[in-house]
Amino acid sequence: MKHSWYKEGVVYQIYPRSFQDSNADGIGDLKGIISRIDYLKSLGISIIWLSPVYESPNDDNGYDISNYKGILKEFGTMEDMIELIRILHVNNIKLVMDLVVNHTSDEHPWFQASLKQEKPYDDYYYWEKKKRNWTSFFGGEAWSYKEERDEYFLHLFSKKQPDLNWNNPLVREEVKNIMRFWLDLGVDGFRCDVINLIAKADGLPNGKWSPILRGREHYMNHPKIHPYLQELKNDVLSKYNCFTVGETAFVTPETALSYIDENVRELDMVFQFEHMAADNYFVKWFIRKFKPMNLKKPLSKWQNGLLGRGWNSLYLENHDQPRSISRFGDMNFYTESATMLATMIYFQQGTPFIYQGQEIGMVNAAFENLDDYQDIETKNIFKLGRKLGMSKKRMMKKIKMMSRDNARTPMQWNDSLNAGFSQGEPWLKLNPNYKNINVESNQSDKNSILKYYQDIIKLRKKYSVIVYGDYQDIEFKNRKLYAYSREDESNQITVICNFSNQPISIKNFEYLKTEKCILHNYENIDNLSVLQPYEARVYIKK
Ligand code: TEU
Ligand code: CA
């Protein structure tokens, strides 16, 4: 694989609303991020992905943008933003912005003008006399009526997130213009929100029957997307030293390669979602019991599927997903399972993405009361479930496990008021466990999860085989074990993870006794041939 800075870096995702508040209004902000740069440096990360900070009515916490070139007042000013970029760069940290261009807010001036059929905006969105039967990602219909035009418009997400009409060259010019604006300000790339949904089939036909996302065959990875992405690449991205990661639900390695193959590179990498279904039936509300094999299978499929052809993104968490320890770990082996999960994912080939709080072992908040949740998706799904006849109890059980707010509770810095996040009333309740789980408690414990993340990042900088080496599964059929090797011309490493709460015998790995263990998550290795519960080890051939 060709070498690049974004392949060698480690990305840290900041959800600004919940990271650090600087003025006691209960909402995280840019000045707050600036005040925490020393922490980010000490973690060792080299790139930040910042979730949206643009002007927005916040129907979907910033993923509904009303001005792409303005900063939401709650987060600060454009001066703060420029200062953040400057100071990150002084500290050798790059910045990737969230580019949300499948849709805007309905309060964006383009939509307001489109409503009134003002030229040239009349055709910036999808307007139809007859509605289609498509359903939305947040539940309910995806086409809604507007009296002003006596027409229906498309919104794959909330009613306040109308989809942009990418057929319109003017829309594409607007997007390129936004990208240039931010790249010229110095940002180093984009995380492209739901980018594989931007192209819709001509004529917007009705969808075939489906219990979820009816109509999706007309917009998911639609072939028309490729010329659009090539246009962005040729006219803008290729002119800057930047990278893109596309958020692409519903892709296989094959579809992904149509975007990211080293010879195509419409995008530099994608977030795939197949391993996020390890505890559900592809729709997160259809929960199934977690089985390690259901995590290992898709991860290994992606490692093998992209090998030598495309670059992976490595993640277990983001602002849309519940906390990974709660989903795939074990609270009875809290530190062990958290560090095992980190070993398992971050020694694979690809760029690591760490979501804020993951590195200190934050877990699901699992609030009991619906009123404690703020997320529009959570609220909508509750209503929808009730409408379909499901009990309150059943819906709350799902929400406690799967709500996006599990990941959005404020960052836990210390055990003081509001975990050091804010001197005011936080916009979303804290996880009450912040007294024990926080940055300071991690910093003062030499065996903490945070220390382990720091060690992983250091090792990645030291051994390029961890970045670029080829991946190969070991004993793939063993359901309790996730083991693999990474190899390049000069080095070979072996990663072994016990994915169970029982000791397991690993006699076949005795050959490792001649190799050097560079990382493990127990104080000592008592017995080379037995892995303790959730034990993880990384060996390098001497
Ligand atoms: O997410 C797209 C997406 O696929 C999610 O809506 C997903 O279905 C859901 O979060 C699973 O719980 C992106 C953003 O990451 C998300 O925060 C936004 O709400 C969404 O796009 C709309 O912009
Ligand atoms: Ca604030």
Side-chain angles (χ1 to χ4, degrees):
M1 301 296 281
K2 269 200 8 223
H3 291 200
S4 295
W5 60 267
Y6 68 80
K7 294 180 178 169
E8 287 157 26
V10 173
V11 185
Y12 187 84
Q13 183 192 352
I14 292 183
Y15 194 68
R17 183 162 287 268
S18 302
F19 191 61
Q20 178 67 62
D21 178 18
S22 73
N23 61 349
D25 66 353
I27 297 171
D29 46 53
L30 295 175
K31 284 207 166 79
I33 299 174
I34 292 173
S35 74
R36 292 296 185 182
I37 288 179
D38 284 347
Y39 170 71
L40 298 169
K41 273 199 83 162
S42 73
L43 178 56
I45 57 98
S46 44
I47 304 167
I48 285 173
W49 151 24
L50 184 60
S51 276
V53 290
Y54 316 99
E55 283 177 35
S56 161
N58 273 319
D59 188 51
D60 185 19
N61 278 359
Y63 283 89
D64 49 320
I65 298 170
S66 53
N67 177 5
Y68 289 88
K69 296 180 184 173
I71 301 294
L72 181 67
K73 271 205 189 69
E74 293 170 340
F75 291 141
T77 61
M78 191 52 90
E79 284 68 49
D80 296 335
M81 188 67 221
I82 290 167
E83 174 61 7
L84 175 64
I85 298 172
R86 188 192 68 79
I87 194 157
L88 286 175
H89 285 169
V90 167
N91 285 285
N92 284 319
I93 299 176
K94 308 228 184 221
L95 179 66
V96 165
M97 298 290 276
D98 220 305
L99 185 71
V100 188
V101 287
N102 173 70
H103 45 267
T104 69
S105 164
D106 65 341
E107 296 180 31
H108 194 290
W110 300 337
F111 191 77
Q112 289 305 314
S114 197
L115 260 182
K116 296 185 202 124
Q117 288 179 277
E118 279 169 24
K119 296 242 174 269
Y121 302 103
D122 51 338
D123 205 17
Y124 266 41
Y125 300 83
Y126 296 104
W127 292 103
E128 292 291 330
K129 283 285 168 221
K130 266 200 185 142
K131 77 167 160 186
R132 312 293 196 257
N133 62 7
W134 303 9
T135 53
S136 133
F137 277 74
F138 291 158
E141 298 187 352
W143 288 85
S144 289
Y145 180 73
K146 283 283 177 192
E147 217 162 54
E148 289 91 331
R149 283 180 65 141
D150 187 26
E151 278 181 317
Y152 294 85
F153 71 98
L154 170 64
H155 57 90
L156 292 181
F157 293 89
S158 96
K159 264 195 184 100
K160 288 183 67 63
Q161 292 169 297
D163 281 51
L164 281 166
N165 174 10
W166 277 71
N167 293 314
N168 185 340
L170 294 177
V171 166
R172 303 201 297 274
E173 283 310 317
E174 300 272 16
V175 171
K176 288 187 265 179
N177 180 289
I178 292 163
M179 293 168 81
R180 285 190 198 102
F181 173 84
W182 285 101
L183 290 165
D184 289 339
L185 274 182
V187 312
D188 305 286
F190 299 105
R191 174 267 188 186
C192 309
D193 191 64
V194 292
I195 197 72
N196 61 326
L197 312 184
I198 59 174
K200 277 85 177 173
D202 292 337
L204 307 154
N206 274 318
K208 59 172 194 256
W209 191 88
S210 165
I212 56 134
L213 295 179
R214 193 164 179 174
R216 67 181 182 279
E217 66 275 23
H218 301 307
Y219 59 79
M220 267 176 190
N221 306 304
H222 191 278
K224 271 166 46 186
I225 189 178
H226 296 293
Y228 297 160
L229 292 179
Q230 282 157 23
E231 189 179 326
L232 303 184
K233 170 92 186 188
N234 296 336
D235 294 359
V236 185
L237 293 165
S238 62
K239 310 220 179 329
Y240 297 82
N241 177 23
C242 65
F243 87 98
T244 53
V245 50
E247 188 209 21
T248 55
F250 302 88
V251 290
T252 62
E254 278 317 305
T255 17
L257 283 167
S258 72
Y259 304 118
I260 62 167
D261 189 293
E262 293 270 317
N263 303 316
V264 174
R265 295 279 292 284
E266 291 170 5
L267 299 165
D268 296 311
M269 52 181 140
V270 296
F271 291 125
Q272 58 88 15
F273 283 77
E274 296 194 307
H275 65 306
M276 289 289 107
D279 58 356
N280 59 77
Y281 296 98
F282 277 92
V283 176
K284 67 178 188 180
W285 307 109
F286 303 154
I287 297 169
R288 62 173 166 171
K289 192 174 174 310
F290 169 65
K291 287 201 188 113
M293 206 42 160
N294 290 335
L295 193 58
K296 169 166 152 176
K297 250 194 209 150
L299 286 173
S300 146
K301 170 178 155 193
W302 277 82
Q303 287 292 305
N304 289 303
L306 299 192
L307 203 65
R309 298 175 64 193
W311 196 246
N312 270 289
S313 68
L314 307 172
Y315 77 96
L316 291 177
E317 294 186 14
N318 61 42
H319 65 293
D320 292 334
Q321 299 292 334
R323 293 289 183 176
S324 57
I325 305 174
S326 308
R327 297 174 85 177
F328 315 132
D330 185 336
M331 288 309 281
N332 296 319
F333 294 94
Y334 167 70
T335 306
E336 293 81 358
S337 64
T339 48
M340 182 280 287
L341 286 168
T343 316
M344 183 269 310
I345 189 86
Y346 294 131
F347 282 87
Q348 302 197 3
Q349 191 190 62
T351 299
F353 286 76
I354 300 168
Y355 176 67
Q356 68 183 42
Q358 180 186 341
E359 78 283 11
I360 56 163
M362 282 178 66
V363 299
N364 282 354
F367 298 131
E368 297 288 339
N369 298 321
L370 187 65
D371 290 342
D372 289 333
Y373 294 85
Q374 304 282 345
D375 179 25
I376 180 166
E377 184 198 50
T378 302
K379 291 181 188 299
N380 283 358
I381 213 70
F382 182 83
K383 275 188 235 147
L384 188 72
R386 295 290 288 145
K387 216 167 98 186
L388 296 174
M390 271 179 266
S391 70
K392 258 190 196 150
K393 200 170 147 206
R394 178 141 178 232
M395 285 315 294
M396 283 317 295
K397 193 176 161 210
K398 288 179 188 287
I399 285 171
K400 280 164 65 177
M401 289 174 80
M402 288 299 186
S403 171
R404 304 195 294 186
D405 281 342
N406 281 312
R408 298 176 180 184
T409 59
M411 180 71 179
Q412 297 167 196
W413 296 101
N414 54 47
D415 64 6
S416 74
L417 175 74
N418 297 326
F421 163 70
S422 172
Q423 296 298 309
E425 177 77 12
W427 72 277
L428 179 65
K429 270 183 34 178
L430 286 134
N431 189 322
N433 70 15
Y434 75 83
K435 296 267 175 204
N436 301 315
I437 299 178
N438 59 60
V439 168
E440 282 179 20
S441 66
N442 269 263
Q443 282 168 334
S444 61
D445 170 3
K446 73 173 181 11
N447 296 319
S448 68
I449 299 170
L450 177 63
K451 288 274 157 63
Y452 197 86
Y453 270 77
Q454 288 169 326
D455 288 346
I456 292 182
I457 296 172
K458 277 186 207 135
L459 286 169
R460 233 177 150 266
K461 286 181 186 154
K462 183 163 172 196
Y463 298 109
S464 71
V465 62
I466 302 173
V467 179
Y468 293 111
D470 283 347
Y471 169 99
Q472 195 167 14
D473 287 306
I474 303 174
E475 288 193 31
F476 182 75
K477 292 217 170 92
N478 188 333
R479 280 183 302 222
K480 292 186 173 159
L481 186 77
Y482 194 163
Y484 55 88
S485 69
R486 304 287 313 283
E487 192 171 355
D488 64 13
E489 313 75 49
S490 29
N491 279 307
Q492 188 196 5
I493 62 167
T494 305
V495 179
I496 358 179
C497 300
N498 180 354
F499 232 121
S500 80
N501 59 7
Q502 305 290 320
I504 53 176
S505 156
I506 47 160
K507 287 222 161 50
N508 296 346
F509 289 89
E510 271 169 1
Y511 67 90
L512 293 171
K513 63 175 172 278
T514 58
E515 300 190 4
K516 185 176 153 201
C517 187
I518 51 171
L519 184 69
H520 58 121
N521 65 346
Y522 271 70
E523 286 255 21
N524 299 302
I525 296 176
D526 298 332
N527 185 343
L528 186 73
S529 340
V530 176
L531 279 184
Q532 295 303 297
Y534 297 101
E535 184 173 347
R537 301 180 195 163
V538 181
Y539 288 91
I540 191 155
K541 208 177 213 158
K542 277 190 206 149

